[in-house]
Amino acid sequence: MRENIKFQIIPNNLFILRSQIHPIHPIKMSLTVDVNVTPLVRFVKKNGMKFYPTMIWVVSRVINSHEEFKYGWDADGNLIRWDLISPSYAHFHPEDGNFTKLVTPYGKDLAEFHTRFLEDREKYRDLRAVVEDQPANHFDVSCLPWVRYRHFDVHVFDQGDFLAPVVTWGKYEAEGDKLVMPLTMNIHHAVADGFHLSRFFADVQELIDHLTGGSPAD
């Protein structure tokens, strides 16, 4: 049975859009920043974890820390803000080059999320499609581990009503004594601007930097 998903309806007259932009206009922001993932790579190796679900948890934790990343619409077309938003991610099958798209519910405990991710991946290992009945309170996340790109852009915002973040990262490579990885966020300009994107990247780096020992720092 699906858990009760909580949200708050936002009255239109209380929703101040960035630069007076109405959400029907597909104006988005896209920013790519190199992040130092050296502490994250060390952390997952030390704790027997996998990089992909751990990085998904990192960005999920940051996204859930800020209200501007949790806007959406209910079934009646009301603007809402979710209490919690989970990652909808692509799982790649190298044996045939196809993907499975699924959601693992976000939780603050990294170890529990990591376990659920592995369980979900195993459950849908034979599926090559989008898992049915995904929860509406999700944001999009994926990675391109084959290339260290300079910029990445997607066009899910063209109809003007997709308000959740789209997060992507690429291949990490050695740069001096660091492992550096491109991280991208695309988001509708109606809910966020340059300040919010910049804070997202700063918070991701800070969280990665504090991954020490057997668990992330609070």
Side-chain angles (χ1 to χ4, degrees):
M1 179 180 296
R2 182 178 297 176
E3 60 180 305
N4 185 29
I5 301 174
K6 298 180 180 180
F7 59 84
Q8 175 185 355
I9 295 178
I10 309 299
N12 288 335
N13 63 341
L14 296 181
F15 185 51
I16 307 302
L17 301 172
R18 306 289 179 254
S19 303
Q20 302 301 309
I21 299 170
H22 193 277
I24 65 170
H25 298 306
I27 301 175
K28 68 178 180 62
M29 300 190 68
S30 178
L31 184 62
T32 298
V33 172
D34 281 342
V35 295
N36 175 16
V37 295
T38 309
L40 181 56
V41 173
R42 291 173 179 167
F43 177 84
V44 297
K45 289 181 178 179
K46 179 177 181 180
N47 292 279
M49 292 179 164
K50 295 184 178 298
F51 183 90
Y52 187 40
T54 307
M55 186 64 192
I56 290 176
W57 178 86
V58 167
V59 299
S60 298
R61 177 160 174 171
V62 173
I63 283 172
N64 275 281
S65 298
H66 300 294
E67 292 184 350
E68 64 267 15
F69 297 138
K70 296 188 286 186
Y71 284 104
W73 310 95
D74 68 9
D76 297 320
N78 296 306
L79 179 69
I80 62 172
R81 185 173 60 240
W82 301 106
D83 289 353
L84 179 145
I85 188 168
S86 293
S88 174
Y89 57 90
H91 171 55
F92 179 65
H93 301 277
E95 63 272 21
D96 56 24
N98 291 310
F99 291 85
T100 304
K101 196 75 164 65
L102 65 156
V103 172
T104 294
Y106 166 71
K108 289 185 177 181
D109 188 288
L110 169 56
E112 291 182 2
F113 177 83
H114 191 276
T115 298
R116 286 198 302 269
F117 173 95
L118 297 180
E119 292 172 347
D120 289 343
R121 186 181 67 172
E122 178 64 20
K123 180 179 179 179
Y124 298 108
R125 65 177 180 175
D126 295 326
L127 182 68
R128 303 295 188 270
V130 177
V131 174
E132 294 183 353
D133 298 324
Q134 294 195 34
N137 59 324
H138 71 264
F139 70 96
D140 195 82
V141 60
S142 63
C143 74
L144 284 73
W146 311 278
V147 60
R148 183 183 172 188
Y149 60 80
R150 297 301 178 188
H151 181 69
F152 182 80
D153 199 4
V154 292
H155 293 275
V156 297
F157 304 90
D158 289 349
Q159 292 184 346
D161 59 358
F162 190 87
L163 301 180
V166 178
V167 178
T168 310
W169 58 87
K171 179 182 180 181
Y172 61 76
E173 293 182 335
E175 190 173 285
D177 60 351
K178 300 178 180 179
L179 295 172
V180 178
M181 183 186 76
L183 177 65
T184 302
M185 175 180 278
N186 286 267
I187 194 165
H188 203 304
H189 195 17
V191 296
D193 55 27
F195 165 76
H196 303 97
L197 266 71
S198 299
R199 182 171 61 182
F200 166 76
F201 293 107
D203 287 356
V204 166
Q205 187 65 70
E206 182 178 7
L207 181 53
I208 290 175
D209 290 344
H210 286 85
L211 288 173
T212 59
S215 62
D218 292 329

